[in-house]
């Protein structure tokens, strides 16, 4: 998979990423048959993606145009799935807390340093989890969202 990113100058000196149709091209590589041997000119085309198409690599969804939405949608889906599973199981509070700390927390926090989320976007993740954590673990509201005196 590969991307070709070219910029198009718009009005008022603004730049936008050009679509694939404005910069056509392809990459072909010689197919390797066995270790170090090549066949009679068998070329394989490497798939090309548009700059707006996200790609998942090493557990993180990235996009050359800088879009955060695919990663945020995946994080929200993980949180909702965890909520569904944790509420369906008959687990005690300490087991639920262990599931939260060992399963969900790493899954949600691993990709965060690689994206520049807006301040309101992680709050969407928090909403998915905080009610379940508070209710199922028997935690007071002040512990989950902060003391009421501090607008928690």
């Amino acid at each position: 998979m590969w991307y070709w990113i070219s910029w198009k100058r718009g009005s008022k000196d603004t730049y936008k990423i050009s679509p694939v149709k404005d910069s056509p091209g392809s990459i072909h590589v010689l197919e390797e048959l066995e270790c170090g041997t090549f066949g009679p000119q068998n070329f394989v085309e490497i798939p090309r993606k548009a700059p707006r198409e996200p790609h998942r690599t090493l557990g993180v969804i990235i996009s050359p145009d800088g879009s955060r939405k695919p990663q945020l949608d995946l994080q929200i889906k993980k949180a909702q799935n965890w909520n569904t599973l944790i509420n369906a199981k008959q687990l005690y509070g300490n087991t639920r807390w262990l599931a939260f700390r060992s399963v969900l927390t790493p899954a949600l926090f691993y990709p965060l340093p690689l994206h520049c989320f807006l301040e309101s976007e992680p709050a969407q993740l928090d909403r998915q989890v905080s009610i379940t954590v508070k209710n199922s673990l028997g935690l007071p509201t002040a512990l989950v969202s902060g003391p009421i005196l501090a607008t928690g």
Side-chain angles (χ1 to χ4, degrees):
M1 176 207 69
W2 64 285
Y3 292 100
W4 176 268
I5 301 174
S6 61
W7 298 90
K8 183 189 266 186
R9 185 175 179 177
S11 62
K12 300 180 185 177
D13 291 334
T14 58
Y15 289 87
K16 295 182 179 180
I17 295 177
S18 299
V20 174
K21 65 180 174 88
D22 290 350
S23 55
S26 62
I27 295 178
H28 293 79
V29 294
L30 194 58
E31 181 181 25
E32 185 176 3
L33 298 178
E34 292 181 20
C35 191
T37 61
F38 297 95
Q41 302 302 317
N42 291 332
F43 287 95
V44 177
E45 184 175 356
I46 298 176
R48 179 180 180 183
K49 286 191 153 204
R52 300 200 189 294
E53 288 182 61
H55 174 68
R56 186 168 184 165
T57 180
L58 298 174
V60 179
I61 298 176
I62 56 175
S63 180
D65 71 348
S67 175
R68 302 175 307 271
K69 187 171 179 358
Q71 182 66 46
L72 183 64
D73 291 346
L74 176 68
Q75 299 300 91
I76 289 173
K77 185 189 279 185
K78 283 181 184 180
Q80 290 171 341
N81 187 35
W82 184 82
N83 276 341
T84 302
L85 291 174
I86 210 75
N87 288 327
K89 302 293 180 192
Q90 298 297 325
L91 301 175
Y92 295 109
N94 58 349
T95 311
R96 287 182 184 216
W97 180 250
L98 180 65
F100 172 73
R101 295 294 298 160
S102 63
V103 177
L104 184 65
T105 302
L108 292 182
F109 290 141
Y110 173 74
L112 292 183
L114 301 173
H115 288 279
C116 297
F117 288 114
L118 299 175
E119 190 174 340
S120 61
E121 291 171 335
Q124 295 175 22
L125 286 174
D126 183 54
R127 274 194 297 269
Q128 299 296 322
V129 177
S130 63
I131 294 171
T132 300
V133 170
K134 183 183 78 165
N135 292 341
S136 67
L137 301 177
L139 298 174
T141 304
L143 185 62
V144 175
S145 58
I148 295 173
L149 294 175
T151 66

